[in-house]
Amino acid sequence: MSLGTVFSRFSLLMALLFFTVFSLVCSQAAKKAGWHSLRALGFGILLVLLRFLLPLEASFAKIIHGGKLFTELDLWLHATRVGSLNIVHIVCILWAAGTLFCLVRILAMLCRQYRVVRRSRTPQDGEIPRFCRSVAREMGISRAGAVCISPSFEVPMMAGFFRPNILLPQDVEHLPEEELRLILRHEYTHFHRGDLWIKLGMELLCCLLWWNPGAYLLRTSIGQLLELRCDSLVCARLSPRESLQYGETLLHVLQGLHRKPSCFAAGFFGYTSREKILQRFGQIASVKQRPKQRGISILIAALAVVLFIGSYSFLFQPYALPPELGSDYEVASDLDSSFILRYSDGTLEVYINNRLRETITSDQLNQEPYCNMQIFDVQISYEEEVIIP
């Protein structure tokens, strides 16, 4: 079994179908598995990216005709023109324009965050910066970034892909030292695990598939799983009393939150929906007794493999594909008018919409779409007027 070497728009369609099914099913399954499903989801996303990079038709693929409606839609997309462009070209341009807009938006957000961090830097010899560096050393982070205190920050956050910059609200001086220590452990754990890189990757995936709701659903699910993992790793080193205090600190932060943090900062609170809040509190309360849901993670990985192979094994295609004879070809509007004339000298002519489209060989009669067309035998010379008996 081998893959073809030609790009196929129908193979790209299967890649989109693969991603949509994977994102919808696995986002729900991840709620049951918890943060332990992160690796399985990451493996599935890598398969998705590989599938998008290789939209090729496999030699073993089974062709599934989409019926007359699908065929007519495909023909309309290619036949309808606005100026020199058909609908397919316009859709591709809009897709690319939307992706470019999302990328520019991400770049603008990163630049704005960089400016805020620079404006909010505090003297690094102060008491709070020294305390932050002390906690960073406890967690094995030698290159701690700047500490920024500003009324612009409603909740503690961490920003920085290479060095962890700690962003703290103005009233941080009133926080008890133990609460600040728990908050810093949470933020430095995000940095130690590379969570901002994962968030950036999900944002780029949403840029590529900005029109697909599955991309945003998957981004939200992975963002919540990152918070759950961070809570679990922090609480695993705490006593039951300290875990309870960690939950209380989380609640205090919630009370001061009025707007969503930046997607490129790991905020202490993360997502604020009721369901996700309760999920985090439930894990904090049972972090030491909670068993790992490895079975669901294995199922997620297995589903990704099955969908990946299945997306190459089956292809949805129109009933009859029009031959691409350049950019100005015409297509059939009625499949009933597609037929083949077989002349006495062995010549085979394909007519679509009662117009000659191409000449084929006898070997091609057993191939799609010619095997599904009616064949009329013509008992006259090819040069004479055609009369179908």
Side-chain angles (χ1 to χ4, degrees), residues 29-285:
K31 294 180 181 180
K32 300 290 185 181
W35 68 268
H36 297 287
S37 62
L38 273 171
R39 288 186 178 180
L41 286 173
F43 171 72
I45 293 174
L46 288 178
L47 288 184
V48 167
L49 296 177
L50 179 62
R51 185 64 180 84
F52 277 118
L53 290 173
L54 297 173
L56 308 173
E57 288 194 18
S59 59
F60 56 87
K62 178 177 177 58
I63 305 300
I64 300 176
H65 293 298
K68 188 172 182 179
L69 181 61
F70 180 42
T71 302
E72 291 181 346
L73 176 61
D74 183 69
L75 296 178
W76 175 80
L77 289 173
H78 287 81
T80 305
R81 293 185 173 275
V82 179
S84 61
L85 303 176
N86 62 29
I87 300 299
V88 173
H89 297 149
I90 294 174
V91 169
C92 291
I93 292 173
L94 291 176
W95 187 346
T99 299
L100 180 61
F101 173 80
C102 292
L103 289 174
V104 171
R105 178 174 170 269
I106 284 179
L107 183 61
M109 292 175 64
L110 288 172
C111 291
R112 184 167 61 249
Q113 181 174 281
Y114 175 74
R115 290 195 300 268
V116 170
V117 169
R118 289 197 63 180
R119 286 199 310 265
S120 307
R121 286 176 181 268
T122 59
Q124 298 305 295
D125 56 351
E127 182 179 349
I128 292 180
R130 284 200 301 270
F131 183 75
C132 292
R133 289 194 296 270
S134 172
V135 175
R137 285 193 297 269
E138 290 176 6
M139 301 188 64
I141 299 175
S142 57
R143 297 185 61 196
V147 176
C148 306
I149 300 177
S150 170
S152 302
F153 311 133
E154 293 189 357
V155 296
M157 294 181 290
M158 187 275 296
F161 294 99
F162 300 101
R163 299 182 66 180
N165 299 306
I166 301 300
L167 316 181
L168 298 172
Q170 191 70 49
D171 59 354
V172 66
E173 294 89 352
H174 305 297
L175 277 177
E177 181 177 299
E178 192 55 37
E179 282 195 12
L180 181 58
R181 183 185 298 275
L182 293 174
I183 290 172
L184 292 174
R185 284 186 178 181
H186 180 98
E187 303 306 334
Y188 285 130
T189 299
H190 275 305
F191 177 80
H192 186 69
R193 289 284 174 167
D195 290 351
L196 284 187
W197 289 105
I198 297 176
K199 286 190 172 188
L200 177 61
M202 293 309 302
E203 289 295 329
L204 294 177
L205 181 63
C206 288
C207 287
L208 177 63
L209 299 172
W210 55 268
W211 48 268
N212 193 325
Y216 301 98
L217 181 62
L218 194 60
R219 180 187 66 180
T220 301
S221 297
I222 289 182
Q224 174 69 358
L225 293 178
L226 293 177
E227 294 300 330
L228 291 173
R229 180 175 69 175
C230 197
D231 291 338
S232 179
L233 294 176
V234 172
C235 291
R237 299 185 177 185
L238 301 180
S239 66
R241 183 191 64 80
E242 290 173 324
S243 295
L244 179 61
Q245 186 177 11
Y246 182 83
E248 292 175 348
T249 303
L250 199 63
L251 185 60
H252 293 162
V253 172
L254 172 64
Q255 292 171 346
L257 182 63
H258 299 288
R259 64 176 182 266
K260 183 180 177 181
S262 167
C263 59
F264 297 110
F268 180 63
F269 203 81
Y271 294 93
T272 57
S273 71
R274 177 180 175 84
E275 179 186 3
K276 291 177 172 56
I277 292 170
L278 292 177
Q279 188 180 16
R280 290 185 66 180
F281 279 120
Q283 178 178 266
I284 291 171

